[in-house]
Amino acid sequence: MRLTGKTVLITGAARGLGRATALACAAEGADLALLDLCEDLDGVPYPLGTRGQLEHTAMLCRKQGAAVLTAACDVRDPSSVEAAVALAEDRFGRIDGVVNNAGIAAPSGRPVHEIREDEWALMIDVDLSGAYRVVRAVAGAMSARRSGSIVNVSSTAGLVGYRHFAGYVAAKHGLIGLTKAAALDYAPTKVRVNAVCPGSVRDDATAEGRMLAEIARALEVQVGEHEQTFTEAQPMNALIEPEDVAAAVVYLLSDDARQVTGSVLTVDGGFTAR
C-alpha cells in the first residue's frame, strides 16, 4: 500500500491509461481526483472519453476502498484546470501526486507541410500546454509543503521521431523538456517531476482504450491487423499492457522514488534501445 494517505490527481482518467493508472493507485491506497474532458473535441477525428466512462473508472476505484472525486476538466483552459485543482484540494485537503495523462493522438497522419495551423495548435495545446497548466496549478502548494510528485505521461514519440506524426512527436518531446526543467525548478522544495514513455500499449477492453487503433488508422495500418504489426516492431515481441505503465507511474508517485526526479522511464519493451 505504497500510496496510503496520499491523494492523486489524474487527468484523462475516463479510460485507457488513465483508468489503469487510477485503479493501480487505488489498489495502493490512494484517494483520487479523476478528471477528464468528458466530451469530444472539434478537430479530433475519434470519440474521446465520456462522463459515463469517467464515473465507471470512479466506481471501480471505490470498490477498492478509495475515496474518489470526479470532475470535467479541459486542460486547454487555465480556469477549468484551476477550478478542478481547487475542488480536489477542498475535498481532500491536499494533492500529493499528479499524473498528467490527458492527451490526443490525432489530428495526425500527414507530413509537416500538410498540417494546418489549427491542427498543430490543438495538439500542442492539449498534449504539452495542458500538462504545463496542471503543473502550474499544483506546484505552488506542493512547494509550500515541501512534498509532492508529478508524473507526465509522454511516449516513445518523446524520444524518437515517427513519420507523419510531427505534432504529436513535437508535443511529447516538449513534455520531456518540461519535465526536466520543472524537476530542477522544484528540486529545492523536494517536489519531484518525472516522465514515463510508454511504447505501443494494447487497447485493453477493460480500460476501454483505443489509442493504438487510432494511431494505426492515422498510419493507414489495417485496423484488425494492427496489433500484430505493432507487436512485430517490439524487441520483446509483445505489446505493452496498460497495467505495465500504471505500475511505473505508481513507483514514481511513491516514496520508493523519493530520490528520483527529472527522470524519463521508458515502458516500451526495448523499442528505444535500438
Side-chain angles (χ1 to χ4, degrees):
M1 304 293 282
R2 290 174 290 171
L3 302 180
T4 297
K6 297 183 184 293
T7 296
V8 177
L9 180 147
I10 304 172
T11 66
R15 66 185 188 192
L17 283 181
R19 177 178 293 175
T21 300
L23 289 170
C25 289
E28 291 285 350
D31 293 327
L32 298 164
L34 304 180
L35 312 181
D36 208 284
L37 179 61
C38 299
E39 62 183 62
D40 292 339
L41 272 179
D42 290 340
V44 178
Y46 59 90
L48 299 182
T50 67
R51 185 73 195 216
Q53 289 174 318
L54 181 63
E55 295 303 335
H56 185 64
T57 300
M59 179 271 293
L60 294 173
C61 293
R62 290 185 181 111
K63 282 187 174 181
Q64 299 195 66
V68 182
L69 165 74
T70 62
C73 178
D74 185 348
V75 296
R76 300 172 302 164
D77 179 359
S79 63
S80 179
V81 171
E82 290 162 8
V85 168
L87 191 66
E89 290 176 334
D90 183 63
R91 167 72 183 275
F92 297 110
R94 58 190 281 171
I95 296 171
D96 301 286
V98 167
V99 184
N100 276 313
N101 173 70
I104 55 176
S108 295
R110 298 192 302 280
V112 172
H113 71 278
E114 295 181 9
I115 301 173
R116 300 194 311 266
E117 285 280 346
D118 62 303
E119 293 174 323
W120 178 271
L122 177 62
M123 183 67 70
I124 300 300
D125 202 13
V126 175
D127 285 16
L128 175 56
S129 299
Y132 146 73
R133 294 183 186 105
V134 175
V135 172
R136 185 176 65 177
V138 302
M142 285 182 170
S143 292
R145 291 195 309 272
R146 300 184 62 82
S147 175
S149 176
I150 298 168
V151 181
N152 295 321
V153 179
S154 183
S155 165
T156 53
L159 299 169
V160 301
Y162 286 98
R163 181 172 176 263
H164 290 179
F165 271 78
Y168 187 74
V169 167
K172 292 301 187 178
H173 270 72
L175 191 53
I176 289 177
L178 172 64
T179 297
K180 290 179 177 292
L184 294 177
D185 283 349
Y186 299 113
T189 57
K190 309 303 181 185
V191 176
R192 299 181 294 105
V193 188
N194 293 287
V196 293
C197 289
S200 296
V201 178
R202 187 171 65 86
D203 289 336
D204 177 71
T206 302
E208 299 186 81
R210 59 182 300 159
M211 184 71 79
L212 195 64
E214 295 304 330
I215 291 172
R217 197 185 313 278
L219 292 173
E220 298 183 350
V221 175
Q222 184 66 39
V223 176
E225 301 175 0
H226 68 291
E227 286 197 358
Q228 182 60 34
T229 300
F230 285 114
T231 299
E232 290 171 357
Q234 298 294 110
M236 293 186 73
N237 198 37
L239 294 177
I240 309 303
E241 298 295 332
E243 293 77 12
D244 297 328
V245 182
V249 173
V250 166
Y251 162 70
L252 291 172
L253 291 171
S254 76
D255 293 341
D256 289 346
R258 61 186 174 274
Q259 290 294 334
V260 180
T261 195
S263 292
V264 178
L265 177 55
T266 58
V267 187
D268 67 351
F271 182 83
T272 54
R274 294 174 299 184

